[in-house]
Amino acid sequence: GNTPAAEGDNPALTLKIGSSQPEAQPNFYCGMKLLKERIEAQNLGLTIDMFPNSQLGPDAERFASVQTGDIDIDLQGGSAMSTAFPQIGVLDAAYAFNDVDHFFTWIDRNGKDFFTEFNTATDTTIVDAWYFGMRTFTATKPIRKPADLAGLKVRFPNTPQFLANAKALGADAVAIAVEELYLALQQGVAQGQENPVVATHAQKFDEILKVASLTDHQVGAHYVVVSDKTLDKMSRPQKDALFKAIHDIRAENRKCVDDETGKVLDGWRGDSARTVVEIDQVDRAAFISKAEAFFNTHFTGENLELYKSIRASA
Amino acid sequence: MTAEPVDSPDAPPRPPEPEPPWREPRILRAWAAAELGIACLAVATIFLSVLWQVISRYVPALNWQGVSELANYSLIVLTFIMVGYLIGNNGHIVIQIIDYAVKGRALTVVKVISAACTAVICALMVWEAWELILAYPDRRTAALEIPLWILYTLPLAGFLSGAVRAIVRIFLAGRPDGFFDAAEAR
Amino acid sequence: MILELWMVGVAIIVLLLLRVPVGLAFIGPCLWYALADGNSSGFALKTTFDGLNSFPLLAVPLFILVGVMANRLGVADRLYDFCLAVLGRIRGNLAYVNIGTAVGFSWMSGSALADVAGLGKIEVPHMVKAGYPYRFAAGLTASSSLISPVMPPSIPAVIYAATATVSTGALFAASIIPALLMAAGLCVYVFLWTARRPDVTSVPFDRTRLRSTAIATIGPAFVPVILLGGILSGTFTPTEAASVAVLLMVVLGLLYRTLTFRVMIQSLRETAVITGGIGLILGSAALLGLILTRAHVSRDVAELVTSVSTEPWIFMIMVNVVLLILGTVVDATAAILVLVPVLLPVAVGLGVDPVYFGVVMIMNLMIGLLTPPVGSVLFVTASVTGRPVEEVFHGIIPFLVPLVAVLVLVTALPGFVLWLPHLLGF
Ligand code: NA
Ligand code: NA
């Protein structure tokens, strides 16, 4: 909440920014925190109040609060926002994008129109996307081809798009609340999970799961989404500064994620108790064609059109 | 306490009871029976859904992604639908320290203020429920795709019931509180 | 309308003193504050609603149902008969039977009230008839019932684990030794007491009775075995274990032919009513918690605490003193929900293990159930035995000594708490 007090042209505003990521994650120290430093340094009357680590609630509920203006800015994955705008879930489809460059090229080319439609449906504005890392499997055994997933209970987040991804890849998905996941992995209720390398390491799932398979089956991205109720209170210079800072941070953040991912992976590679199935040891062509065949019948209407246009741009 | 709403039924030495405990009019009793019925159904749903989740892990054919959501929303339904019932039956967890300090007519005044505050808070929550119903016409739950506005009608009903029963309690403040025993709930 | 956070605190206390239900006393001032702070209308209800949307919390109604059914299906009575038969020859055996039954029942029940309400009706009159003073019998029954919410399954542990996002299984494992220490502490007190009271009679030992009652408790004995075994072997998660426990109760009820449609319905009703009361507190405390989080209260508390000392053991002493005092007046569920988001980050910052912190916090707040002015176990003991609250509390006072001694021991030696979870690999 804000009490707009006129201070020249720039009202004094405190913006609450939320995220699910803990402070040890690149999206905090190379994202949210950079944003705070840069915005506040400009003396535009803006203060950024940071709430990492799901302090303001789980993803879907935080996004609903962005819609009502109770949270000003949030870092959100696509699937949590897909209940308000289904097409954004399509961007989370497994192997919709071949790699992270494909993703950002698509965003830069089509993002403007796409995010305008999103804005009309949700009363929130996506300013840009920050990289979160490629989602890959960590499990009790290596996953090189779709058949390796058979009979392996893999935990996927409990949203329709993620569960569709499980089907598309041929995995036997188990739904387990994130609060119980560590224990469930430890006790063998699930034998694998999928997350970006940095997140897997931060949440200590790699303490239990010793085999990482770099399937890179989904571009993990966090959209920086701002409440329109907040934008309405801001002056033009404030908005420009905020948008510019978010765009500028994208590249730095990506480098940060890549560096941290490399660091974690090198640690795993150097550990004799672990196996890392490198990306060129994965039969990505088999995964991609399997996923494509699935989604071409799974999606319908506008979602299918969007999916096909993304694949066509690959 | 962690479990029972009979928080302090006999905390203060009770005064002799001059009047028999008041019985709610038939319409409120029927309303309460409906609320308790829905809540029991919710408990049964939680049990069966969570059990289903266990079983479906071993019988993949039974795998259904809506099951944990069904259980979660049942707990929400149960909590909100019982708000009015518990106010009407003196069954909410209440801290009765003041009963040691004030007696007789002063206690009646306290009970009037208490019931009035309860009614106001419930009424505010009815208003909030109505605002949420208007705010999210399209939002749906992730797995079962239940429109959220439908789910928000349950707190609306529960707090409305709570407001009505709190107003009734304003007029009953002079009578001794009936003893509420969860084991005998009906 | 400018509203400071401290005014919310004052308003909550005033409403609580006025006997407004705890959940609503949280909601009212928070709703007012949220609106004054410029949030959307609907903020308070949405946060309360979302606060209940948590899979681990589903264990709360399920473990309540287990405890309710264990009482109604006669499982508690079977445990009592068995303990009576086993402890036949010992002097003061009824007192040990009381503790033994509490330990047995604690493996099925997650709250103290199920224990007092069910067993108090049998045990206290039985002990009084055998020559024990009423105060001793009532005090012991009330005190031993605290083993239930500490021993797994434990409803406070489920709530703590969900709020602190620590593993429920680890908290369950960590609670076993403290719960057994509580039983041991009470036994020591009983031993010292009976040594000076040669007049209390013992029920004579009877071998055939031992065999028949042992057979009658085979079924209930499977409950903890299946629960812990299932959790440790990875067959199900602790939350899911709660539903399996209900299923076991249904099976036992069918075996003993005590499960009728009426018993089932009445068990569901009792569970619904109890869960409804706790649920409103769970949701409303999430609202209060979010408001405290948004105001960075935990950071301020951390600064305050670390300005006094950065030694973890000094912090733990402060926590114990504050919780014992708060426990006399505050509802335990509400205390866990409100204090965990504020105190846990401070504790973790000082290097205190969150699982150990949870066990200490739960033991503290459970002792508060015995003390006036607000103590539900105290009131229910008085209620089921039909004597004044004052008399029960007089009986409880001496038992506070062993209970607080065990609390001090557990606080001073985190190893007692953490040894088992580490051994089991949590
Ligand atoms: Na227990
Ligand atoms: Na107390």
Side-chain angles (χ1 to χ4, degrees):
Chain A
N2 298 297
T3 320
E7 184 190 290
D9 289 334
N10 297 321
L13 293 172
T14 299
L15 306 183
K16 290 187 179 64
I17 177 167
S19 152
S20 58
Q21 294 307 303
E23 299 185 20
Q25 288 279 286
N27 276 12
F28 178 79
Y29 62 81
C30 286
M32 200 189 246
K33 198 153 162 274
L34 282 186
L35 184 68
K36 176 179 170 69
E37 287 163 10
R38 300 207 178 148
I39 294 289
E40 291 181 358
Q42 295 178 54
N43 293 320
L44 288 165
L46 291 178
T47 309
I48 306 275
D49 199 4
M50 301 187 292
F51 297 93
N53 211 6
S54 298
Q55 285 176 19
L56 300 181
D59 290 334
E61 277 126 30
R62 286 203 321 279
F63 180 63
S65 295
V66 176
Q67 288 184 282
T68 52
D70 296 331
I71 296 175
D72 301 292
I73 311 173
D74 208 281
L75 305 186
Q76 286 280 339
S79 11
M81 300 191 288
S82 65
T83 50
F85 186 65
Q87 283 102 300
I88 199 156
V90 176
L91 305 192
D92 274 348
Y95 293 114
F97 297 99
N98 280 7
D99 53 31
V100 58
D101 287 324
H102 179 199
F103 173 78
F104 278 117
T105 310
W106 187 89
I107 290 286
D108 288 337
R109 213 171 278 158
N110 309 280
K112 197 162 176 290
D113 293 339
F114 186 75
F115 294 150
T116 306
E117 276 180 60
F118 178 86
N119 176 262
T120 314
T122 63
D123 298 326
T124 63
T125 299
I126 292 179
V127 180
D128 207 336
W130 288 350
Y131 185 46
F132 175 45
M134 295 302 291
R135 297 185 80 95
T136 60
F137 289 106
T138 30
T140 52
K141 36 178 238 191
I143 296 155
R144 297 188 180 88
K145 53 187 185 300
D148 292 341
L149 283 166
L152 200 65
K153 289 173 197 149
V154 181
R155 185 266 179 180
F156 278 74
N158 195 10
T159 69
Q161 184 56 53
F162 278 109
L163 294 172
N165 284 352
K167 278 191 195 146
L169 299 171
D172 183 5
V174 283
I176 294 164
V178 72
E179 298 94 330
E180 300 200 60
L181 181 52
Y182 184 88
L183 181 67
L185 290 170
Q186 197 167 39
Q187 311 293 0
V189 175
Q191 289 125 21
Q193 61 94 36
E194 54 90 64
N195 251 310
V197 167
V198 284
T200 297
H201 184 61
Q203 297 177 74
K204 301 194 171 78
F205 299 142
D206 57 339
E207 285 180 1
I208 304 155
L209 303 170
K210 304 290 187 187
V211 185
S213 304
L214 305 185
T215 48
D216 288 13
H217 54 264
Q218 184 192 329
V219 179
H222 284 158
Y223 301 96
V224 186
V225 58
V226 185
S227 176
D228 283 0
K229 294 221 164 66
T230 304
L231 291 176
D232 290 344
K233 287 184 240 172
M234 294 168 71
S235 69
R236 174 64 22 208
Q238 284 177 330
K239 281 189 229 178
D240 289 344
L242 180 69
F243 283 32
K244 183 172 183 313
I246 291 170
H247 288 307
D248 288 349
I249 287 169
R250 178 171 114 179
E252 289 164 77
N253 178 73
R254 181 174 164 188
K255 186 173 178 312
C256 220
V257 172
D258 284 337
D259 289 351
E260 182 64 25
T261 305
K263 222 187 287 171
V264 174
L265 279 176
D266 284 344
W268 288 352
R269 286 174 186 130
D271 180 347
S272 60
R274 293 178 188 280
T275 312
V276 177
V277 177
E278 302 292 344
I279 188 159
D280 51 17
Q281 297 172 316
V282 172
D283 188 354
R284 274 172 53 94
F287 273 118
I288 292 177
S289 60
K290 188 175 170 68
E292 215 163 356
F294 174 84
F295 284 121
N296 277 328
T297 56
H298 172 78
F299 287 129
T300 53
E302 283 181 73
N303 288 359
L304 182 61
E305 256 171 63
L306 175 64
Y307 177 74
K308 283 188 163 165
S309 77
I310 294 172
R311 288 308 303 149
S313 70
Chain B
M1 174 43 215
T2 54
E4 274 77 334
V6 265
D7 203 36
S8 48
D10 286 355
R14 274 190 289 175
E17 296 178 17
E19 295 168 84
W22 184 76
R23 229 181 121 101
E24 287 188 320
R26 182 173 294 182
I27 177 153
L28 285 184
R29 274 185 284 147
W31 192 353
E35 288 168 331
L36 191 55
I38 293 172
C40 287
L41 209 62
V43 175
T45 308
I46 292 169
F47 165 51
L48 295 173
S49 308
V50 177
L51 196 61
W52 186 327
Q53 174 159 325
V54 182
I55 294 168
S56 68
R57 202 168 300 125
Y58 300 94
V59 187
L62 291 175
N63 221 328
W64 178 49
Q65 64 184 59
V67 87
S68 68
E69 204 175 276
L70 191 63
N72 279 334
Y73 284 109
S74 295
L75 178 60
I76 294 175
V77 166
L78 158 65
T79 298
F80 286 115
I81 206 68
M82 288 306 284
V83 167
Y85 177 96
L86 290 172
I87 290 175
N89 287 284
N90 195 29
H92 268 299
I93 298 171
V94 167
I95 293 177
Q96 300 189 337
I97 306 181
I98 200 157
D99 300 34
Y100 290 88
V102 298
K103 310 266 182 244
R105 182 162 296 183
L107 184 60
T108 304
V109 172
V110 167
K111 284 162 74 180
V112 168
I113 299 171
S114 168
C117 291
T118 304
V120 168
I121 294 166
C122 285
L124 284 167
M125 287 299 259
V126 171
W127 168 68
E128 289 226 325
W130 180 245
E131 291 285 323
L132 286 178
I133 288 170
L134 297 179
Y136 298 109
D138 305 321
R139 211 178 139 217
R140 287 161 181 270
T141 66
L144 297 174
E145 304 196 2
I146 308 166
L148 268 171
W149 70 264
I150 290 187
L151 290 174
Y152 287 134
T153 59
L154 285 145
L156 186 103
F159 283 109
L160 187 64
S161 158
V164 169
R165 290 186 156 97
I167 291 167
V168 171
R169 284 181 77 87
I170 294 177
F171 297 100
L172 297 174
R175 295 166 185 260
D177 289 330
F179 173 81
F180 179 75
D181 186 353
E184 301 299 321
R186 63 190 65 249
Chain C
M1 193 162 44
I2 296 202
L3 189 60
E4 301 281 342
L5 202 56
W6 65 267
M7 292 160 80
V8 173
V10 171
I12 289 174
I13 291 168
V14 170
L15 288 174
L16 288 175
L17 289 176
L18 284 171
R19 303 175 19 138
V20 172
V22 175
L24 295 174
F26 284 174
I27 288 175
C30 288
L31 191 157
W32 178 30
Y33 179 84
L35 287 178
D37 196 33
N39 291 288
S40 61
S41 42
F43 178 89
L45 177 57
K46 180 179 172 293
T47 310
T48 308
F49 187 99
D50 293 344
L52 287 161
N53 193 355
S54 151
F55 190 77
L57 285 183
L58 294 173
V60 172
L62 293 175
F63 280 133
I64 291 172
L65 184 56
V66 173
V68 165
M69 288 179 78
N71 260 328
R72 287 183 186 270
L73 298 174
V75 174
D77 302 352
R78 282 164 187 263
L79 286 171
Y80 183 67
D81 289 344
F82 174 67
C83 287
L84 206 55
V86 170
L87 299 166
R89 266 185 288 216
I90 300 162
R91 186 213 295 250
N93 62 356
L94 282 183
Y96 295 110
V97 167
N98 189 313
I99 299 168
T101 312
V103 171
F105 195 60
S106 73
W107 288 101
M108 268 152 264
S109 156
S111 85
L113 287 200
D115 205 302
V116 202
L119 291 166
K121 272 178 231 171
I122 319 167
E123 289 172 341
V124 177
H126 205 163
M127 285 176 79
V128 170
K129 211 171 133 198
Y132 291 83
Y134 167 79
R135 286 180 180 185
F136 178 83
L140 179 62
T141 305
S143 310
S144 66
S145 75
L146 300 192
I147 297 167
S148 270
V150 177
M151 187 75 88
S154 149
I155 288 164
V158 167
I159 291 172
Y160 178 88
T163 317
T165 56
V166 299
S167 148
T168 310
L171 207 61
F172 277 6
S175 306
I176 295 175
I177 290 176
L180 292 175
L181 284 175
M182 285 167 74
L186 293 175
C187 284
V188 169
Y189 179 79
V190 166
F191 178 79
L192 296 174
W193 186 88
T194 45
R196 288 180 293 139
R197 294 294 298 257
D199 53 316
V200 294
T201 53
S202 291
V203 177
F205 185 74
D206 178 344
R207 190 174 293 276
T208 50
R209 230 177 100 72
L210 178 60
R211 182 184 297 166
S212 67
T213 55
I215 291 168
T217 45
I218 290 174
F222 268 106
V223 176
V225 172
I226 292 178
L227 285 191
L228 287 190
I231 294 171
L232 293 175
S233 66
T235 312
F236 34 71
T237 68
T239 308
E240 293 166 349
S243 71
V244 176
V246 176
L247 185 69
L248 286 172
M249 283 298 147
V250 172
V251 171
L252 288 180
L254 292 174
L255 278 176
Y256 301 157
R257 297 167 190 274
T258 43
L259 183 68
T260 60
F261 182 72
R262 228 189 84 80
V263 166
M264 194 67 237
I265 291 296
Q266 205 51 38
S267 300
L268 287 177
R269 282 179 178 161
E270 189 174 348
T271 306
V273 163
I274 296 168
T275 310
I278 298 178
L280 189 64
I281 295 182
L282 288 170
S284 64
L287 170 61
L288 179 59
L290 183 60
I291 283 176
L292 296 178
T293 299
R294 286 162 45 120
H296 299 290
V297 168
S298 181
R299 193 178 57 194
D300 299 343
V301 171
E303 277 169 17
L304 189 74
V305 168
T306 47
S307 74
V308 177
S309 167
T310 51
E311 285 290 332
W313 64 272
I314 292 183
F315 171 71
M316 288 310 292
I317 290 174
M318 291 196 285
V319 166
N320 272 317
V321 171
V322 169
L323 287 181
L324 280 176
I325 294 168
L326 272 182
T328 62
V329 287
V330 172
D331 173 82
T333 306
I336 292 171
L337 291 164
V338 173
L339 292 178
V340 165
V342 174
L343 292 181
L344 188 64
V346 184
V348 171
L350 294 174
V352 175
D353 184 274
V355 170
Y356 154 77
F357 187 73
V359 174
V360 171
M361 188 168 196
I362 291 166
M363 287 181 76
N364 256 302
L365 294 170
M366 292 306 110
I367 291 173
L369 300 179
L370 297 177
T371 57
V374 178
S376 45
V377 168
L378 169 67
F379 299 143
V380 172
T381 310
S383 167
V384 296
T385 58
R387 297 278 196 106
V389 172
E390 289 78 1
E391 211 183 333
V392 178
F393 184 60
H394 273 276
I396 284 173
I397 291 171
F399 289 98
L400 292 176
V401 176
L403 290 175
V404 172
V406 171
L407 173 64
V408 169
L409 189 70
V410 166
T411 309
L413 301 168
F416 266 143
V417 180
L418 296 173
W419 175 73
L420 201 52
H422 287 166
L423 184 75
L424 297 175
F426 284 103

